Amino acid sequence: MKKLICLAVAILPMMASAQYKSKVWCPDNGDGTYTNPVINADYSDPDVCVGPSGEDYYLTASSFQCIPGLPILHSRDLVNWEIINYAVRELEPKSEFDRPQHGNGIWAPSIRYHNGEYYIYWGDPDHGVMMVKTKDPAGEWTKPLCVIEGKGYIDTTPLWDDDGRCYLVNGWANSRAKFASVLTVRELSADGTRAIGQPVIVFDGNGTENRTCEGPKFYKRDGWYWIMCPAGGVPTGFQLAMRSKSPYGPYEHKIVLAQGKTSINGPHQGGWVHTKYGEDWFLHFQDKEAYGRVVHLQPVDWSSGWPIMGKKGEPVTRYQKPKASSTVAIVNPVESDEFNSPTMGLQWQWHANYDEKFGVPTAFGTFRIYTYKLSEGWKNFWEVPNLLLQKTPADEFTVTTKLRFTSKADGQFGGLIMMGLDYSALVVRRMGQSFQLVQMTCKAADKGKQQTENVIATLKPTATDKTEYKPGIHEDIYLRLKVADSKLHFAYSSDGKKFTDCGSEFQMKEGKWIGAKFGYISAETDANADRGWVEADWIRVEK
């Protein structure tokens, strides 16, 4: 347990704002160049805007059912990014999102600055076009407003025209609308809160190489209306740019970014930004399967009248950094956590709307995750909402955590997990007056398959309650997972110094529209028992 926690609380705001440098991936080379990806984590469907100073860039990305949702990242050079906030604290209707809704919720958002406020629009494919706004991206955002109600709307972007009129472009989800590969434009009210016009199909990729055209972003430049969108499929597609003199088209189009001879597959879907220094850049994703969709930065050349991205339309790996007014400190999205703050770290998300019975920070320098009551007849962890998880930060990394598991009843368990459509967890489980160390693995969890278990060792408890009132027993342990080439190996230790490799190798698998995520599992099968809990002391991400 950490010492002097009470004294530390006084300086927590300063600690929370300290700049974090990753030990496993940093795109800034320190010599005026950067290496892609600029964010080597699953910030899928990224979009970006620049604030009124011209020096502050804000990025958001899809978050689906994970809460808090709509991450807000900040940068001053488009290379060094840090997580500063989330725009959504709870998804509605609560009757749905209080339990995991894998792959539903927030799809492909857009972020825009207009008339003193920041707006984010997204399509919830089951409920409609949603919007939140704020004057301060690091502050409080409004509750989600439904701008257009209905099924099938996805990938929405507003454009406020020079005359103050507002237009919205969107794609369509075949899984809900039963058609796709078309883009539609309609007019919204000037305040962007409701539709006042009917949709018009402005682009149709059906039956062409431009199938799966979606994820459109709407811009205006030099009198031209521009829609930039991906097409051709997520793993192997390309980026289109299309232009017209009217928001309603017709649009001529051109491929402006594709894999070509590079190793960067499917470089598409993202946001264009014009800087105060006259430079143009495009942030997009690359699908890396189990690692999710990571973020790349490409220069944009408008000299031909079209936004040709990368190097002659092919993605760059290493390039000169964007211009900035001063030297920008190296900073990366936070990964490790000492759990010294009275608030949850910004790297963490739950798998459904938050309930205080999931877990809370403590005043003791730990984070407590209570055991979730599994349903009768449960087969795997696909139903568990209190998974406390974060994104994978690199192709190769090691995660080590120190934790204590406190159990109040037989069968309660907790530990470290890598979660996706397939998952594997290393947990301690109470069995009588001792614990078992168990690897729990499931393939095709989304299909309702039964998990398998491998008992690795029997552990004696490190402490037992001395009182007779609702006694519990405790196990202090260090758990570790190592990742390389999307393969996972576990290890454990009793002292944090000597680790024993254990369990079977696990092939990581992405989740539903998200990459695999790692973190904590805490659960049990007894509906009537007092809850046990995982007390996470720290977690560290290193090479």
Side-chain angles (χ1 to χ4, degrees):
M1 194 65 66
K2 303 179 186 71
K3 299 179 180 179
L4 302 177
I5 296 301
C6 291
L7 292 176
V9 170
I11 60 171
L12 284 174
M14 290 184 288
M15 294 173 61
S17 63
Q19 291 180 322
Y20 180 88
K21 185 175 179 180
S22 174
K23 295 181 179 180
V24 296
W25 184 260
C26 180
D28 193 322
N29 298 318
D31 60 0
T33 67
Y34 70 92
T35 298
N36 273 318
V38 290
I39 309 176
N40 202 3
D42 182 40
Y43 288 92
S44 61
D45 312 320
D47 194 33
V48 63
C49 75
V50 60
S53 71
E55 299 282 356
D56 296 291
Y57 305 99
Y58 297 97
L59 179 145
T60 192
S62 297
S63 54
F64 301 98
Q65 86 282 358
C66 300
I67 291 296
L70 282 179
I72 307 297
L73 285 79
H74 172 260
S75 177
R76 294 181 66 84
D77 65 358
L78 297 171
V79 171
N80 290 280
W81 291 94
E82 61 180 332
I83 315 169
I84 63 167
N85 200 6
Y86 288 87
V88 170
R89 298 293 165 180
E90 186 173 74
L91 288 169
E92 293 185 346
K94 282 176 58 61
S95 59
E96 292 182 24
F97 289 105
D98 282 357
R99 60 185 188 277
Q101 296 292 320
H102 299 268
N104 297 337
I106 297 175
W107 287 27
S110 61
I111 183 168
R112 292 291 180 267
Y113 178 76
H114 170 68
N115 198 26
E117 293 184 296
Y118 295 85
Y119 292 76
I120 298 178
Y121 285 75
W122 72 93
D124 179 323
D126 295 306
H127 298 103
V129 178
M130 312 298 292
M131 181 268 282
V132 292
K133 65 178 182 176
T134 186
K135 292 183 182 296
D136 177 12
E140 193 73 18
W141 291 73
T142 60
K143 290 185 177 180
L145 171 72
C146 186
V147 176
I148 305 172
E149 186 177 354
K151 283 184 176 288
Y153 299 105
I154 58 171
D155 307 354
T156 55
T157 304
L159 171 67
W160 279 274
D161 209 343
D162 304 329
D163 59 6
R165 296 172 72 177
C166 184
Y167 302 95
L168 185 83
V169 65
N170 69 275
W172 295 87
N174 189 72
S175 57
R176 276 72 163 184
K178 301 305 177 185
F179 65 85
S181 295
V182 296
L183 306 179
T184 56
V185 170
R186 77 192 69 204
E187 188 171 359
L188 300 184
S189 56
D191 62 2
T193 62
R194 58 189 175 86
I196 62 172
Q198 295 298 312
V200 176
I201 294 176
V202 298
F203 189 76
D204 186 353
N206 285 282
T208 74
E209 66 175 347
N210 300 317
R211 69 191 185 285
T212 324
C213 60
E214 55 188 6
K217 299 296 188 296
F218 217 170
Y219 309 98
K220 193 173 185 183
R221 180 183 186 272
D222 295 339
W224 289 91
Y225 296 89
W226 289 89
I227 296 175
M228 301 184 192
C229 76
V234 172
T236 58
F238 45 84
Q239 183 70 21
L240 292 176
M242 53 189 76
R243 67 184 183 185
S244 173
K245 285 293 185 178
S246 165
Y248 298 111
Y251 285 84
E252 55 180 326
H253 66 275
K254 181 187 290 289
I255 295 176
V256 293
L257 181 67
Q259 178 174 351
K261 298 179 180 179
T262 75
S263 61
I264 301 172
N265 62 289
H268 65 218
Q269 189 153 349
W272 161 56
V273 61
H274 178 73
T275 77
K276 66 183 291 185
Y277 303 101
E279 295 182 333
D280 294 276
W281 299 88
F282 183 70
L283 284 152
H284 66 91
F285 74 68
Q286 175 198 13
D287 188 319
K288 293 176 64 177
E289 298 180 332
Y291 297 106
R293 289 174 275 183
V294 303
V295 182
H296 289 240
L297 177 66
Q298 305 296 335
V300 178
D301 178 7
W302 283 92
S303 61
S304 67
W306 291 87
I308 305 303
M309 300 169 179
K311 186 177 181 180
K312 297 182 179 179
E314 293 187 3
V316 299
T317 299
R318 186 183 180 108
Y319 203 77
Q320 196 74 22
K321 288 174 57 180
K323 292 179 182 178
S325 61
S326 60
T327 301
V328 175
I330 292 176
V331 62
N332 308 123
V334 65
E335 304 147 355
S336 298
D337 200 337
E338 297 298 313
F339 298 115
N340 285 338
S341 173
T343 57
M344 189 171 76
L346 290 172
Q347 66 269 56
W348 299 107
Q349 292 174 295
W350 303 100
H351 242 35
N353 279 341
Y354 174 62
D355 184 307
E356 290 178 1
K357 294 186 292 295
F358 289 177
V360 292
T362 77
F364 323 122
T366 62
F367 196 99
R368 180 174 295 185
I369 306 108
Y370 287 105
T371 50
Y372 173 74
K373 303 287 186 178
L374 293 162
S375 65
E376 186 176 353
W378 74 282
K379 292 185 176 181
N380 62 57
F381 298 151
W382 198 248
E383 68 175 71
V384 177
N386 76 324
L387 296 173
L388 184 63
L389 306 176
Q390 63 168 289
K391 307 171 191 298
T392 59
D395 293 357
E396 297 186 11
F397 60 96
T398 298
V399 175
T400 307
T401 185
K402 179 185 178 183
L403 59 83
R404 165 174 282 197
F405 183 64
T406 297
S407 178
K408 296 288 188 176
D410 273 3
Q412 294 178 338
F413 59 88
L416 201 56
I417 188 171
M418 181 67 77
M419 183 69 189
L421 300 174
D422 302 345
Y423 67 77
S424 192
L426 184 63
V427 305
V428 288
R429 177 173 62 189
R430 181 173 173 178
M431 300 295 290
Q433 294 301 302
S434 64
F435 287 98
Q436 290 178 332
L437 184 67
V438 187
Q439 183 180 15
M440 297 178 170
T441 301
C442 185
K443 294 187 177 180
D446 60 315
K447 304 298 184 184
K449 299 298 183 180
Q450 182 70 51
Q451 74 171 23
T452 60
E453 298 183 359
N454 175 22
V455 178
I456 295 166
T458 298
L459 308 170
K460 293 182 179 180
T462 52
T464 303
D465 283 350
K466 296 180 180 180
T467 63
E468 295 182 359
Y469 176 70
K470 297 184 177 180
I473 63 173
H474 315 282
E475 175 65 22
D476 294 328
I477 195 167
Y478 298 80
L479 302 179
R480 174 174 286 175
L481 62 82
K482 297 180 180 180
V483 169
D485 299 323
S486 73
K487 293 180 174 60
L488 169 69
H489 295 89
F490 284 115
Y492 72 100
S493 171
S494 60
D495 60 8
K497 298 176 181 178
K498 182 180 179 180
F499 280 83
T500 301
D501 293 336
C502 65
S504 303
E505 180 181 86
F506 172 68
Q507 175 63 54
M508 290 163 52
K509 184 77 171 179
E510 68 274 6
K512 183 69 171 178
W513 303 124
I514 62 177
K517 300 177 75 173
F518 69 90
Y520 297 100
I521 173 75
S522 183
E524 64 175 305
T525 57
D526 189 338
N528 298 314
D530 291 342
R531 295 180 193 270
W533 59 83
V534 167
E535 197 103 344
D537 193 358
W538 49 258
I539 188 167
R540 294 166 187 164
V541 180
E542 301 171 310
K543 284 289 188 182

